[in-house]
Amino acid sequence: MTVQKVAVVTGASSGIGAATARGLAAAGYQVALVARRADRLEALAKEIGEAASVHVLDVTDRAAVAAFAASLDRVDVLVNNAGGAIGAEQVADADPADWRTMYEVNVLGVLQVTQALLPALRASGDGTVLVLSSTAAFAPYEGGAGYVAAKAGAHAIAATLRLEALGEPIRVIEIAPGMVQTDEFALTRFRGDASKAAAVYAGVPDPLSAEDVADTIVWSVTRPSHVNIDLLVVRPRAQAAQHKVHRL
Ligand code: 8X3
C-alpha cells in the first residue's frame, strides 16, 4: 500500500491557500488545512473530502503551532501561505501596530511553522518548504513599506533556509506573485473599504486568480525531488512591473 504524502497549507481558509489545498488534494496529497476560521476550514474540508483534515490555529501562536506539529504523523510538504497586508499609509503616517501585525504573520508565522515542522519534513526523506512571498519583497511602492518589509523578511527566511538545508533532503521554494485578485487581500489592506479594494484591480484585464497561483505552487511542489524551483515570479500579463500596470 502506498502511504499518502501529507501537505500542510497555512492560510487555507480562503484565496490562494484554499485553492492550493484543493490543488494538492487533487494531486494526491493528504492536506492539513491550517487557519484561524473554523467554519471556513470545515466547509473546505467537506468539499475536499477524506483527503483533508482541519487544524484551527493562529500561526503567530507559538504554543498552538507546537501542539499542531506534535499532532501530525508525517509531513512531506509545507506551504507557508498565511500572510497579508494591513494599511496603505505612507511611511510618514504608518501605524507601527499595523507593521507589527504584518511582521508577526508574514515573517514570524513562517518562521514558527517552518521550525516546528522541519524535523518531520527532514524525516520524510524528501521534504519541501514553500514560502509564498510577493513581488513586493523585491520592489518597494508608495504606501507599501510595511508589507514590502514583511515580505522581504519572508524572502530572507526562504533564501537563508535554502543555504542552511544544503545536504539535507529538503527543498526550499519561493513563489512571488504580483497582482492577484482574491476576495480578501485588498479588502483587508483597506480595512474593509470595498471601493478602495476594487480600485486596485479597476480596468486591469485579467489579474491573476487564486487558482493561477495555486497552479504554480502545485507545479513547483510536484517536480521531481532533485528539481528545486528556487524563486518563481508570477504576474498577470497586464502587469509588467510593480508600477507598470495596463488598465483599460
Ligand atoms: C501582493 C502584491 O502588489 O499588492 O503580494 O504588493 S502587491
Short mmCIF file of all heavy atoms in Angstrom, two decimals, residues 173-241:
data_model
loop_
_atom_site.label_atom_id
_atom_site.label_comp_id
_atom_site.label_asym_id
_atom_site.label_seq_id
_atom_site.Cartn_x
_atom_site.Cartn_y
_atom_site.Cartn_z
N ILE A 173 11.33 26.35 -1.71
CA ILE A 173 10.78 27.01 -2.90
C ILE A 173 10.17 28.34 -2.48
O ILE A 173 9.49 28.42 -1.46
CB ILE A 173 9.66 26.14 -3.52
CG1 ILE A 173 10.22 24.78 -3.97
CG2 ILE A 173 8.97 26.86 -4.67
CD1 ILE A 173 9.14 23.78 -4.40
N GLU A 174 10.42 29.37 -3.27
CA GLU A 174 9.75 30.66 -3.02
C GLU A 174 8.94 31.03 -4.26
O GLU A 174 9.47 31.05 -5.37
CB GLU A 174 10.78 31.76 -2.72
CG GLU A 174 10.11 33.12 -2.54
CD GLU A 174 11.10 34.24 -2.20
OE1 GLU A 174 12.32 33.95 -2.03
OE2 GLU A 174 10.66 35.39 -2.11
N ILE A 175 7.67 31.32 -4.04
CA ILE A 175 6.82 31.81 -5.13
C ILE A 175 6.46 33.26 -4.80
O ILE A 175 5.96 33.55 -3.71
CB ILE A 175 5.50 31.00 -5.23
CG1 ILE A 175 5.76 29.50 -5.31
CG2 ILE A 175 4.65 31.50 -6.41
CD1 ILE A 175 6.19 28.97 -6.63
N ALA A 176 6.72 34.15 -5.76
CA ALA A 176 6.47 35.58 -5.55
C ALA A 176 5.43 36.06 -6.55
O ALA A 176 5.75 36.40 -7.69
CB ALA A 176 7.77 36.36 -5.70
N PRO A 177 4.16 36.12 -6.15
CA PRO A 177 3.13 36.58 -7.08
C PRO A 177 3.05 38.11 -7.13
O PRO A 177 3.31 38.80 -6.14
CB PRO A 177 1.82 36.02 -6.50
CG PRO A 177 2.21 35.12 -5.36
CD PRO A 177 3.55 35.59 -4.92
N GLY A 178 2.65 38.61 -8.29
CA GLY A 178 2.34 40.03 -8.43
C GLY A 178 0.88 40.25 -8.14
O GLY A 178 0.37 39.80 -7.11
N MET A 179 0.17 40.89 -9.07
CA MET A 179 -1.23 41.26 -8.81
C MET A 179 -2.17 40.04 -8.88
O MET A 179 -2.36 39.46 -9.95
CB MET A 179 -1.69 42.31 -9.82
CG MET A 179 -3.09 42.81 -9.56
SD MET A 179 -3.61 44.02 -10.78
CE MET A 179 -2.91 45.51 -10.09
N VAL A 180 -2.72 39.69 -7.75
CA VAL A 180 -3.66 38.57 -7.66
C VAL A 180 -4.96 39.10 -7.09
O VAL A 180 -4.96 39.72 -6.02
CB VAL A 180 -3.14 37.46 -6.71
CG1 VAL A 180 -4.05 36.24 -6.78
CG2 VAL A 180 -1.70 37.10 -7.03
N GLN A 181 -6.05 38.88 -7.79
CA GLN A 181 -7.34 39.34 -7.26
C GLN A 181 -8.00 38.22 -6.47
O GLN A 181 -8.41 37.20 -7.03
CB GLN A 181 -8.27 39.79 -8.40
CG GLN A 181 -9.55 40.42 -7.86
CD GLN A 181 -10.33 41.17 -8.94
OE1 GLN A 181 -10.10 40.98 -10.13
NE2 GLN A 181 -11.23 42.03 -8.51
N THR A 182 -8.08 38.40 -5.17
CA THR A 182 -8.76 37.43 -4.31
C THR A 182 -9.86 38.16 -3.55
O THR A 182 -9.95 39.39 -3.60
CB THR A 182 -7.78 36.77 -3.32
OG1 THR A 182 -7.22 37.79 -2.48
CG2 THR A 182 -6.67 36.03 -4.03
N ASP A 183 -10.67 37.41 -2.83
CA ASP A 183 -11.79 38.02 -2.11
C ASP A 183 -11.32 38.94 -0.98
O ASP A 183 -12.00 39.89 -0.62
CB ASP A 183 -12.68 36.92 -1.49
CG ASP A 183 -13.38 36.12 -2.57
OD1 ASP A 183 -13.47 36.63 -3.71
OD2 ASP A 183 -13.81 34.99 -2.28
N GLU A 184 -10.16 38.63 -0.39
CA GLU A 184 -9.84 39.28 0.87
C GLU A 184 -8.58 40.14 0.90
O GLU A 184 -8.48 41.04 1.73
CB GLU A 184 -9.71 38.20 1.96
CG GLU A 184 -11.04 37.51 2.22
CD GLU A 184 -10.99 36.56 3.40
OE1 GLU A 184 -9.93 35.95 3.62
OE2 GLU A 184 -12.00 36.44 4.10
N PHE A 185 -7.60 39.89 0.01
CA PHE A 185 -6.31 40.56 0.17
C PHE A 185 -6.44 42.10 0.23
O PHE A 185 -6.04 42.74 1.20
CB PHE A 185 -5.34 40.15 -0.94
CG PHE A 185 -4.00 40.85 -0.85
CD1 PHE A 185 -3.03 40.38 0.02
CD2 PHE A 185 -3.73 41.98 -1.60
CE1 PHE A 185 -1.81 41.05 0.15
CE2 PHE A 185 -2.52 42.65 -1.48
CZ PHE A 185 -1.56 42.17 -0.61
N ALA A 186 -7.02 42.68 -0.82
CA ALA A 186 -7.11 44.14 -0.86
C ALA A 186 -8.13 44.67 0.16
O ALA A 186 -7.95 45.75 0.73
CB ALA A 186 -7.48 44.59 -2.27
N LEU A 187 -9.16 43.89 0.41
CA LEU A 187 -10.17 44.30 1.38
C LEU A 187 -9.55 44.40 2.78
O LEU A 187 -9.83 45.34 3.54
CB LEU A 187 -11.32 43.26 1.38
CG LEU A 187 -12.68 43.72 1.84
CD1 LEU A 187 -13.19 44.91 1.03
CD2 LEU A 187 -13.68 42.56 1.73
N THR A 188 -8.70 43.48 3.11
CA THR A 188 -8.01 43.53 4.41
C THR A 188 -7.06 44.71 4.44
O THR A 188 -7.01 45.46 5.42
CB THR A 188 -7.22 42.21 4.63
OG1 THR A 188 -8.12 41.13 4.52
CG2 THR A 188 -6.55 42.20 5.99
N ARG A 189 -6.32 44.90 3.36
CA ARG A 189 -5.37 46.01 3.32
C ARG A 189 -6.08 47.34 3.55
O ARG A 189 -5.59 48.19 4.27
CB ARG A 189 -4.64 46.03 1.97
CG ARG A 189 -3.97 47.36 1.68
CD ARG A 189 -3.01 47.30 0.53
NE ARG A 189 -1.68 46.98 1.01
CZ ARG A 189 -0.63 46.78 0.23
NH1 ARG A 189 -0.74 46.84 -1.06
NH2 ARG A 189 0.54 46.54 0.75
N PHE A 190 -7.26 47.50 2.94
CA PHE A 190 -8.00 48.76 3.07
C PHE A 190 -9.05 48.71 4.17
O PHE A 190 -10.03 49.44 4.14
CB PHE A 190 -8.60 49.16 1.71
CG PHE A 190 -7.54 49.54 0.71
CD1 PHE A 190 -7.22 48.70 -0.34
CD2 PHE A 190 -6.83 50.73 0.85
CE1 PHE A 190 -6.21 49.03 -1.24
CE2 PHE A 190 -5.83 51.08 -0.06
CZ PHE A 190 -5.52 50.22 -1.10
N ARG A 191 -8.86 47.82 5.12
CA ARG A 191 -9.68 47.75 6.33
C ARG A 191 -11.17 47.66 6.01
O ARG A 191 -11.99 48.36 6.60
CB ARG A 191 -9.41 48.95 7.24
CG ARG A 191 -7.93 49.17 7.54
CD ARG A 191 -7.67 50.43 8.34
NE ARG A 191 -6.33 50.94 8.15
CZ ARG A 191 -5.24 50.42 8.71
NH1 ARG A 191 -5.34 49.40 9.51
NH2 ARG A 191 -4.05 50.95 8.48
N GLY A 192 -11.52 46.86 5.01
CA GLY A 192 -12.93 46.61 4.69
C GLY A 192 -13.54 47.62 3.72
O GLY A 192 -14.72 47.50 3.40
N ASP A 193 -12.76 48.58 3.24
CA ASP A 193 -13.30 49.56 2.28
C ASP A 193 -13.34 48.92 0.87
O ASP A 193 -12.32 48.85 0.17
CB ASP A 193 -12.40 50.81 2.29
CG ASP A 193 -12.97 51.93 1.42
OD1 ASP A 193 -13.60 51.63 0.38
OD2 ASP A 193 -12.78 53.10 1.78
N ALA A 194 -14.56 48.49 0.48
CA ALA A 194 -14.70 47.73 -0.76
C ALA A 194 -14.36 48.55 -2.00
O ALA A 194 -13.84 48.01 -2.98
CB ALA A 194 -16.13 47.18 -0.87
N SER A 195 -14.65 49.87 -1.98
CA SER A 195 -14.38 50.63 -3.19
C SER A 195 -12.87 50.84 -3.37
O SER A 195 -12.36 50.79 -4.50
CB SER A 195 -15.15 51.96 -3.19
OG SER A 195 -14.73 52.75 -2.12
N LYS A 196 -12.16 51.06 -2.27
CA LYS A 196 -10.69 51.18 -2.38
C LYS A 196 -10.09 49.84 -2.83
O LYS A 196 -9.15 49.80 -3.62
CB LYS A 196 -10.09 51.58 -1.04
CG LYS A 196 -10.21 53.06 -0.74
CD LYS A 196 -9.41 53.41 0.50
CE LYS A 196 -9.58 54.89 0.83
NZ LYS A 196 -9.10 55.22 2.17
N ALA A 197 -10.64 48.76 -2.32
CA ALA A 197 -10.13 47.43 -2.70
C ALA A 197 -10.37 47.18 -4.19
O ALA A 197 -9.48 46.70 -4.90
CB ALA A 197 -10.80 46.35 -1.86
N ALA A 198 -11.57 47.54 -4.67
CA ALA A 198 -11.90 47.31 -6.08
C ALA A 198 -11.02 48.16 -6.99
O ALA A 198 -10.66 47.75 -8.10
CB ALA A 198 -13.38 47.62 -6.32
N ALA A 199 -10.65 49.36 -6.51
CA ALA A 199 -9.84 50.27 -7.33
C ALA A 199 -8.48 49.68 -7.68
O ALA A 199 -7.88 50.02 -8.71
CB ALA A 199 -9.67 51.61 -6.61
N VAL A 200 -7.98 48.79 -6.83
CA VAL A 200 -6.67 48.17 -7.08
C VAL A 200 -6.68 47.45 -8.43
O VAL A 200 -5.71 47.47 -9.18
CB VAL A 200 -6.32 47.17 -5.95
CG1 VAL A 200 -5.07 46.37 -6.29
CG2 VAL A 200 -6.18 47.89 -4.61
N TYR A 201 -7.83 46.81 -8.74
CA TYR A 201 -7.92 45.97 -9.94
C TYR A 201 -8.71 46.64 -11.07
O TYR A 201 -8.92 46.02 -12.11
CB TYR A 201 -8.58 44.63 -9.58
CG TYR A 201 -7.99 44.00 -8.33
CD1 TYR A 201 -8.66 44.05 -7.11
CD2 TYR A 201 -6.74 43.39 -8.38
CE1 TYR A 201 -8.11 43.49 -5.96
CE2 TYR A 201 -6.17 42.83 -7.24
CZ TYR A 201 -6.87 42.89 -6.03
OH TYR A 201 -6.31 42.34 -4.91
N ALA A 202 -9.12 47.90 -10.84
CA ALA A 202 -10.01 48.56 -11.80
C ALA A 202 -9.40 48.61 -13.20
O ALA A 202 -8.29 49.13 -13.39
CB ALA A 202 -10.35 49.96 -11.32
N GLY A 203 -10.13 48.08 -14.17
CA GLY A 203 -9.70 48.15 -15.57
C GLY A 203 -8.58 47.21 -15.93
O GLY A 203 -8.16 47.16 -17.09
N VAL A 204 -8.07 46.45 -14.97
CA VAL A 204 -6.97 45.53 -15.29
C VAL A 204 -7.56 44.28 -15.94
O VAL A 204 -8.36 43.58 -15.32
CB VAL A 204 -6.19 45.12 -14.01
CG1 VAL A 204 -5.06 44.14 -14.37
CG2 VAL A 204 -5.64 46.35 -13.31
N PRO A 205 -7.18 44.03 -17.20
CA PRO A 205 -7.73 42.84 -17.85
C PRO A 205 -7.08 41.58 -17.26
O PRO A 205 -5.88 41.41 -17.36
CB PRO A 205 -7.35 43.02 -19.33
CG PRO A 205 -6.27 44.03 -19.35
CD PRO A 205 -6.25 44.78 -18.06
N ASP A 206 -7.88 40.80 -16.58
CA ASP A 206 -7.41 39.53 -16.03
C ASP A 206 -6.21 39.61 -15.08
O ASP A 206 -5.11 39.16 -15.42
CB ASP A 206 -7.06 38.54 -17.16
CG ASP A 206 -8.27 38.18 -17.97
OD1 ASP A 206 -9.38 38.14 -17.39
OD2 ASP A 206 -8.12 37.95 -19.19
N PRO A 207 -6.43 40.13 -13.87
CA PRO A 207 -5.39 39.94 -12.86
C PRO A 207 -5.27 38.44 -12.59
O PRO A 207 -6.16 37.68 -12.98
CB PRO A 207 -5.96 40.64 -11.60
CG PRO A 207 -7.22 41.30 -11.99
CD PRO A 207 -7.64 40.78 -13.34
N LEU A 208 -4.21 38.01 -11.94
CA LEU A 208 -4.11 36.59 -11.59
C LEU A 208 -5.24 36.24 -10.63
O LEU A 208 -5.69 37.08 -9.85
CB LEU A 208 -2.77 36.29 -10.90
CG LEU A 208 -1.50 36.42 -11.73
CD1 LEU A 208 -0.29 36.08 -10.85
CD2 LEU A 208 -1.52 35.52 -12.96
N SER A 209 -5.67 34.98 -10.66
CA SER A 209 -6.65 34.47 -9.71
C SER A 209 -5.90 33.61 -8.67
O SER A 209 -4.74 33.23 -8.88
CB SER A 209 -7.68 33.61 -10.42
OG SER A 209 -7.06 32.44 -10.93
N ALA A 210 -6.61 33.30 -7.60
CA ALA A 210 -6.03 32.40 -6.59
C ALA A 210 -5.65 31.07 -7.23
O ALA A 210 -4.61 30.48 -6.92
CB ALA A 210 -7.04 32.18 -5.46
N GLU A 211 -6.48 30.62 -8.17
CA GLU A 211 -6.23 29.32 -8.84
C GLU A 211 -4.96 29.38 -9.69
O GLU A 211 -4.22 28.39 -9.78
CB GLU A 211 -7.43 28.92 -9.71
CG GLU A 211 -8.67 28.50 -8.93
CD GLU A 211 -9.36 29.65 -8.18
OE1 GLU A 211 -9.24 30.81 -8.62
OE2 GLU A 211 -10.02 29.37 -7.16
N ASP A 212 -4.71 30.55 -10.32
CA ASP A 212 -3.48 30.68 -11.12
C ASP A 212 -2.24 30.47 -10.24
O ASP A 212 -1.28 29.80 -10.62
CB ASP A 212 -3.39 32.08 -11.75
CG ASP A 212 -4.45 32.33 -12.81
OD1 ASP A 212 -4.84 31.37 -13.51
OD2 ASP A 212 -4.90 33.49 -12.92
N VAL A 213 -2.27 31.09 -9.06
CA VAL A 213 -1.10 30.99 -8.19
C VAL A 213 -1.00 29.57 -7.61
O VAL A 213 0.08 28.99 -7.54
CB VAL A 213 -1.15 32.04 -7.06
CG1 VAL A 213 0.08 31.92 -6.16
CG2 VAL A 213 -1.23 33.44 -7.65
N ALA A 214 -2.16 29.02 -7.23
CA ALA A 214 -2.17 27.64 -6.72
C ALA A 214 -1.58 26.68 -7.75
O ALA A 214 -0.86 25.74 -7.41
CB ALA A 214 -3.59 27.23 -6.35
N ASP A 215 -1.87 26.94 -9.01
CA ASP A 215 -1.36 26.12 -10.09
C ASP A 215 0.17 26.13 -10.10
O ASP A 215 0.82 25.08 -10.26
CB ASP A 215 -1.92 26.71 -11.40
CG ASP A 215 -1.75 25.80 -12.57
OD1 ASP A 215 -1.92 24.59 -12.38
OD2 ASP A 215 -1.45 26.30 -13.66
N THR A 216 0.78 27.31 -9.90
CA THR A 216 2.25 27.37 -9.88
C THR A 216 2.79 26.67 -8.64
O THR A 216 3.86 26.06 -8.68
CB THR A 216 2.78 28.83 -9.92
OG1 THR A 216 2.43 29.50 -8.73
CG2 THR A 216 2.27 29.60 -11.10
N ILE A 217 2.06 26.78 -7.54
CA ILE A 217 2.51 26.12 -6.30
C ILE A 217 2.49 24.60 -6.49
O ILE A 217 3.48 23.91 -6.19
CB ILE A 217 1.61 26.54 -5.11
CG1 ILE A 217 1.82 28.03 -4.79
CG2 ILE A 217 1.88 25.66 -3.88
CD1 ILE A 217 0.87 28.60 -3.75
N VAL A 218 1.37 24.09 -6.99
CA VAL A 218 1.25 22.63 -7.17
C VAL A 218 2.29 22.14 -8.17
O VAL A 218 2.95 21.12 -7.97
CB VAL A 218 -0.19 22.25 -7.61
CG1 VAL A 218 -0.27 20.76 -7.94
CG2 VAL A 218 -1.19 22.62 -6.52
N TRP A 219 2.49 22.91 -9.23
CA TRP A 219 3.50 22.53 -10.24
C TRP A 219 4.90 22.46 -9.60
O TRP A 219 5.63 21.48 -9.78
CB TRP A 219 3.49 23.54 -11.39
CG TRP A 219 4.56 23.26 -12.41
CD1 TRP A 219 4.53 22.32 -13.40
CD2 TRP A 219 5.84 23.91 -12.50
NE1 TRP A 219 5.71 22.35 -14.11
CE2 TRP A 219 6.54 23.32 -13.58
CE3 TRP A 219 6.46 24.94 -11.79
CZ2 TRP A 219 7.82 23.70 -13.96
CZ3 TRP A 219 7.75 25.33 -12.15
CH2 TRP A 219 8.41 24.71 -13.24
N SER A 220 5.24 23.48 -8.82
CA SER A 220 6.58 23.52 -8.19
C SER A 220 6.78 22.34 -7.26
O SER A 220 7.83 21.70 -7.26
CB SER A 220 6.75 24.79 -7.36
OG SER A 220 6.46 25.92 -8.12
N VAL A 221 5.75 22.08 -6.45
CA VAL A 221 5.85 21.02 -5.44
C VAL A 221 5.92 19.63 -6.08
O VAL A 221 6.55 18.73 -5.54
CB VAL A 221 4.62 21.12 -4.49
CG1 VAL A 221 4.44 19.87 -3.67
CG2 VAL A 221 4.75 22.35 -3.59
N THR A 222 5.31 19.48 -7.24
CA THR A 222 5.24 18.15 -7.85
C THR A 222 6.37 17.89 -8.87
O THR A 222 6.33 16.90 -9.61
CB THR A 222 3.87 17.91 -8.53
OG1 THR A 222 3.62 19.00 -9.43
CG2 THR A 222 2.76 17.85 -7.49
N ARG A 223 7.37 18.80 -8.95
CA ARG A 223 8.55 18.50 -9.78
C ARG A 223 9.33 17.37 -9.11
O ARG A 223 9.22 17.16 -7.90
CB ARG A 223 9.48 19.73 -9.89
CG ARG A 223 8.99 20.93 -10.71
CD ARG A 223 8.39 20.59 -12.03
NE ARG A 223 6.99 20.21 -11.87
CZ ARG A 223 6.32 19.35 -12.67
NH1 ARG A 223 6.91 18.79 -13.68
NH2 ARG A 223 5.06 19.06 -12.46
N PRO A 224 10.16 16.64 -9.87
CA PRO A 224 10.99 15.59 -9.24
C PRO A 224 11.82 16.17 -8.10
O PRO A 224 12.19 17.35 -8.13
CB PRO A 224 11.88 15.13 -10.40
CG PRO A 224 11.16 15.53 -11.65
CD PRO A 224 10.37 16.76 -11.32
N SER A 225 12.11 15.33 -7.11
CA SER A 225 12.76 15.78 -5.87
C SER A 225 14.03 16.60 -6.07
O SER A 225 14.33 17.50 -5.30
CB SER A 225 13.13 14.58 -5.01
OG SER A 225 12.00 13.80 -4.79
N HIS A 226 14.81 16.26 -7.11
CA HIS A 226 16.09 16.96 -7.27
C HIS A 226 15.92 18.33 -7.94
O HIS A 226 16.88 19.08 -8.07
CB HIS A 226 17.06 16.10 -8.09
CG HIS A 226 16.65 15.93 -9.53
ND1 HIS A 226 15.57 15.17 -9.92
CD2 HIS A 226 17.16 16.47 -10.66
CE1 HIS A 226 15.44 15.23 -11.23
NE2 HIS A 226 16.40 16.01 -11.71
N VAL A 227 14.70 18.64 -8.38
CA VAL A 227 14.45 19.92 -9.05
C VAL A 227 13.89 20.91 -8.03
O VAL A 227 12.82 20.69 -7.47
CB VAL A 227 13.43 19.75 -10.21
CG1 VAL A 227 13.13 21.09 -10.86
CG2 VAL A 227 13.95 18.75 -11.23
N ASN A 228 14.64 21.98 -7.78
CA ASN A 228 14.18 22.97 -6.82
C ASN A 228 13.82 24.27 -7.54
O ASN A 228 14.69 24.96 -8.07
CB ASN A 228 15.27 23.25 -5.77
CG ASN A 228 14.73 24.12 -4.64
OD1 ASN A 228 13.54 24.09 -4.34
ND2 ASN A 228 15.60 24.89 -4.02
N ILE A 229 12.54 24.58 -7.57
CA ILE A 229 12.12 25.86 -8.14
C ILE A 229 12.46 26.91 -7.08
O ILE A 229 11.66 27.21 -6.19
CB ILE A 229 10.62 25.86 -8.50
CG1 ILE A 229 10.27 24.68 -9.42
CG2 ILE A 229 10.22 27.19 -9.16
CD1 ILE A 229 11.03 24.63 -10.74
N ASP A 230 13.65 27.43 -7.21
CA ASP A 230 14.24 28.32 -6.21
C ASP A 230 13.37 29.55 -5.95
O ASP A 230 12.93 29.80 -4.83
CB ASP A 230 15.62 28.69 -6.78
CG ASP A 230 16.47 29.53 -5.89
OD1 ASP A 230 15.98 30.56 -5.41
OD2 ASP A 230 17.64 29.16 -5.68
N LEU A 231 13.12 30.30 -7.02
CA LEU A 231 12.29 31.51 -6.90
C LEU A 231 11.51 31.67 -8.18
O LEU A 231 12.09 31.71 -9.26
CB LEU A 231 13.18 32.74 -6.68
CG LEU A 231 12.50 34.10 -6.79
CD1 LEU A 231 11.41 34.27 -5.72
CD2 LEU A 231 13.52 35.22 -6.67
N LEU A 232 10.20 31.73 -8.05
CA LEU A 232 9.36 31.86 -9.23
C LEU A 232 8.51 33.13 -9.08
O LEU A 232 7.76 33.26 -8.11
CB LEU A 232 8.46 30.62 -9.37
CG LEU A 232 7.65 30.46 -10.66
CD1 LEU A 232 7.37 28.98 -10.90
CD2 LEU A 232 6.35 31.22 -10.61
N VAL A 233 8.68 34.07 -10.01
CA VAL A 233 7.87 35.29 -10.02
C VAL A 233 6.74 35.09 -11.00
O VAL A 233 6.98 34.70 -12.15
CB VAL A 233 8.72 36.52 -10.43
CG1 VAL A 233 7.85 37.76 -10.54
CG2 VAL A 233 9.85 36.74 -9.43
N VAL A 234 5.51 35.31 -10.55
CA VAL A 234 4.36 35.13 -11.45
C VAL A 234 3.46 36.36 -11.38
O VAL A 234 3.08 36.82 -10.30
CB VAL A 234 3.60 33.82 -11.12
CG1 VAL A 234 3.19 33.72 -9.66
CG2 VAL A 234 2.37 33.65 -12.02
N ARG A 235 3.23 36.94 -12.56
CA ARG A 235 2.39 38.15 -12.66
C ARG A 235 1.35 37.93 -13.76
O ARG A 235 1.54 37.10 -14.64
CB ARG A 235 3.22 39.36 -13.12
CG ARG A 235 4.39 39.74 -12.29
CD ARG A 235 5.08 40.94 -12.99
NE ARG A 235 6.35 41.28 -12.40
CZ ARG A 235 6.49 42.09 -11.37
NH1 ARG A 235 5.44 42.64 -10.80
NH2 ARG A 235 7.68 42.38 -10.89
N PRO A 236 0.30 38.76 -13.73
CA PRO A 236 -0.59 38.74 -14.89
C PRO A 236 0.10 39.41 -16.08
O PRO A 236 1.01 40.23 -15.88
CB PRO A 236 -1.79 39.57 -14.41
CG PRO A 236 -1.27 40.44 -13.33
CD PRO A 236 -0.13 39.72 -12.69
N ARG A 237 -0.35 39.07 -17.29
CA ARG A 237 0.23 39.70 -18.48
C ARG A 237 0.09 41.21 -18.41
O ARG A 237 0.91 41.95 -18.95
CB ARG A 237 -0.49 39.14 -19.73
CG ARG A 237 0.14 39.58 -21.03
CD ARG A 237 -0.51 38.90 -22.21
NE ARG A 237 -1.95 39.15 -22.27
CZ ARG A 237 -2.78 38.55 -23.10
NH1 ARG A 237 -2.33 37.64 -23.94
NH2 ARG A 237 -4.06 38.83 -23.11
N ALA A 238 -0.96 41.67 -17.73
CA ALA A 238 -1.23 43.12 -17.66
C ALA A 238 -0.35 43.85 -16.65
O ALA A 238 -0.56 45.05 -16.41
CB ALA A 238 -2.71 43.33 -17.32
N GLN A 239 0.59 43.16 -16.03
CA GLN A 239 1.48 43.83 -15.07
C GLN A 239 2.93 43.54 -15.46
O GLN A 239 3.46 42.47 -15.19
CB GLN A 239 1.21 43.32 -13.63
CG GLN A 239 2.03 44.06 -12.59
CD GLN A 239 1.83 43.49 -11.18
OE1 GLN A 239 1.72 42.29 -10.99
NE2 GLN A 239 1.80 44.36 -10.18
N ALA A 240 3.58 44.53 -16.05
CA ALA A 240 4.95 44.32 -16.50
C ALA A 240 5.96 44.52 -15.37
O ALA A 240 7.06 43.97 -15.40
CB ALA A 240 5.28 45.27 -17.65
N ALA A 241 5.58 45.31 -14.38
CA ALA A 241 6.41 45.55 -13.20
C ALA A 241 5.48 46.08 -12.11
O ALA A 241 4.32 46.40 -12.40
CB ALA A 241 7.52 46.56 -13.51
#
